[in-house]
Amino acid sequence: MISNISLVTVYVTDQTAAKNWYIETLGFVETADIQMGDNGFRWVAIAHPDHRELEVTLMLPGPPLDENLADAISRSLAGGSHGSLGLSTQDCRKAYAELTAKGVDFVQPPSERPYGVEAVFRDNSGNWLVLVEPKQFDPTAAAATDPGGAER
């Protein structure tokens, strides 16, 4: 049967610029950059250096997607409303400071959540990424807080 998730897709506006951003800014490594066929299709993939079993393909919104879906994804990237990855860190505040120094666009600074400390930032294509310093889940604490974060 299935042993693990090995591939996820992040839609980007420019594959070369995105690959470089993920490598230079976040420390990912290239796992593939292949021109496939005569139609210009390019397969670009990256991975975290410590977890190469999960590749992230950096895809342009286009074929094999239908035109309407590709257009919707392009609009959501342009509007900065397209979600992509959740990333774990040992120290969210330290990672926030390091990434901010590299010019990363944070839309939410580190904030306490029931599941840990979370910050939200954008990549160079407009995708938002969640950076989380996880903590042990406490179902009683989560039950005492409504979905908007207010105490009951």
Side-chain angles (χ1 to χ4, degrees):
M1 282 309 282
I2 298 168
S3 60
N4 63 296
I5 297 172
S6 63
L7 181 68
V8 296
T9 298
V10 171
Y11 288 100
V12 298
T13 55
D14 178 307
Q15 288 174 300
T16 300
K19 177 179 79 169
N20 292 340
W21 189 88
Y22 277 86
I23 290 170
E24 295 166 9
T25 307
L26 299 185
F28 283 60
V29 295
E30 178 182 313
T31 59
D33 192 339
I34 304 163
Q35 197 71 37
M36 298 174 63
D38 296 332
N39 62 358
F41 185 81
R42 184 174 169 205
W43 182 268
V44 177
I46 55 166
H48 187 278
D50 296 335
H51 298 283
R52 291 176 184 250
E53 71 279 4
L54 177 57
E55 289 186 306
V56 177
T57 58
L58 303 172
M59 300 285 288
L60 295 173
L65 300 177
D66 73 39
E67 189 176 320
N68 290 332
L69 182 54
D71 183 54
I73 291 171
S74 293
R75 285 193 321 272
S76 68
L77 286 170
S81 61
H82 199 78
S84 63
L85 300 173
L87 306 171
S88 293
T89 182
Q90 297 285 325
D91 186 335
C92 189
R93 288 175 178 82
K94 181 179 177 185
Y96 171 81
E98 291 171 356
L99 292 172
T100 299
K102 290 182 173 186
V104 172
D105 176 23
F106 275 85
V107 296
Q108 175 193 297
S111 303
E112 293 288 333
R113 301 285 185 246
Y115 45 83
V117 180
E118 172 190 78
V120 179
F121 64 99
R122 293 196 198 294
D123 70 9
N124 66 329
S125 290
N127 289 297
W128 55 266
L129 295 89
V130 179
L131 180 65
V132 177
E133 174 188 335
K135 70 178 180 182
Q136 188 68 36
F137 178 67
D138 178 359
T140 58
T145 304
D146 74 19
E151 292 292 321
R152 288 187 184 176

